[in-house]
Amino acid sequence: MLPSFYGSWRHVFKLDPDREIDDATLDAVCLSGTDAILVGGSSGVTFDNTVDLMSRIRRYEVPCAFELSDPSCGVPGFDGYFIPSVLNTKRSEWLIGHHAEAIRDFGHLLPWESIVGEAYLVLNPDSTVARLTGADANLAADEAIAYAQVADRLWRMPVLYVEYSGAFGDMALLKRIKQGLKQAHLIYGGGIDGPDKAAQAAESADTVVVGNVIYDNLDAALATVEAVLRPAAKEQAHVFRTR
Ligand SMILES: CC(C)=CCC/C(C)=C/CC/C(C)=C/CC/C(C)=C/CC/C(C)=C/CC/C(C)=C/CC/C(C)=C/COP(=O)(O)OP(=O)(O)O
Ligand SMILES: O=P(O)(O)OC[C@@H](O)CO
Ligand SMILES: [Mg+2]
């Protein structure tokens, strides 16, 4: 199998083209040591605001991928593209319908080598993405695990994204989902508001995504990088403090 552009990413910041970010904040995020910037949002993403944000991020060396939520926003120039399909939606257009239409209309133009399908398991019923896609987010643990295994074992999707956008998720469930995967790369996002939650998510997820806290508390957001990438450093600091 070819190496993926995202396989080594442990920590990622997600920036929303629909939200303002000043130059100083963007500078801190892009120079934070994170593995990558993921551009995406579930509403208000346009071709123009995506180009704007991408060209600002491109001043830095950090890898930058785009998570598409609207087929009309196919902006070239990213290192990679994630295409979400919502596993637990009741509306099939968010699982496969929009995708088939987009591929019918311009599949011949797409840079397939840098496009990755992403199975989305939406677990916060109050999130924008749950409302937008009509996701049945109130799942029992065994149902959530079964959805994950359909994506991983049956469909062999390369990426499973456990999405709690806006709320910190059930880490015991995340661990059980991880244990039940055969091959998919596990991404976790939702409600990480500082280093402790980031470290907890990183115990099970291959990649931890930090989003909204960037806009609410930049210092807390920046502290998540170290917590995920260098958890040993935190433990050592604790040992020194307790000596
Ligand atoms: C020429 C060129 C380079 C083109 C590249 C473009 C490309 C790769 C096209 C591929 C064609 C294709 C197959 C397109 C698929 C069509 C598509 C976009 C389908 C819909 C995807 C989908 C299920 C969207 C639903 C929303 C969703 C899952 C969004 C993901 C991001 C997300 C959840 C962000 C969090 O949202 P946020 O707004 O931050 O939430 P909060 O309010 O809670 O914070
Ligand atoms: O914004 P937060 O709650 O950190 O969630 C991150 C990401 O999973 C959103 O798609
Ligand atoms: Mg958001």
Side-chain angles (χ1 to χ4, degrees), residues 10-83:
R10 288 285 287 143
H11 180 283
V12 161
F13 278 127
K14 188 182 275 193
L15 294 179
D16 190 336
D18 192 34
R19 296 186 74 166
E20 294 286 321
I21 184 163
D22 60 59
D23 284 341
T25 306
L26 190 66
D27 194 69
V29 165
C30 291
L31 296 175
S32 63
T34 186
D35 291 313
I37 308 293
L38 186 54
V39 171
S42 55
S43 59
V45 178
T46 65
F47 191 92
D48 288 348
N49 62 22
T50 304
V51 171
D52 267 7
L53 183 56
M54 184 194 73
S55 46
R56 291 175 68 204
I57 297 166
R58 280 303 193 205
R59 294 186 205 139
Y60 302 88
E61 283 181 9
V62 65
C64 182
F66 185 32
E67 190 175 48
L68 236 78
S69 53
D70 183 326
S72 67
C73 299
V75 172
F78 285 92
D79 295 312
Y81 297 85
F82 291 101
I83 311 294

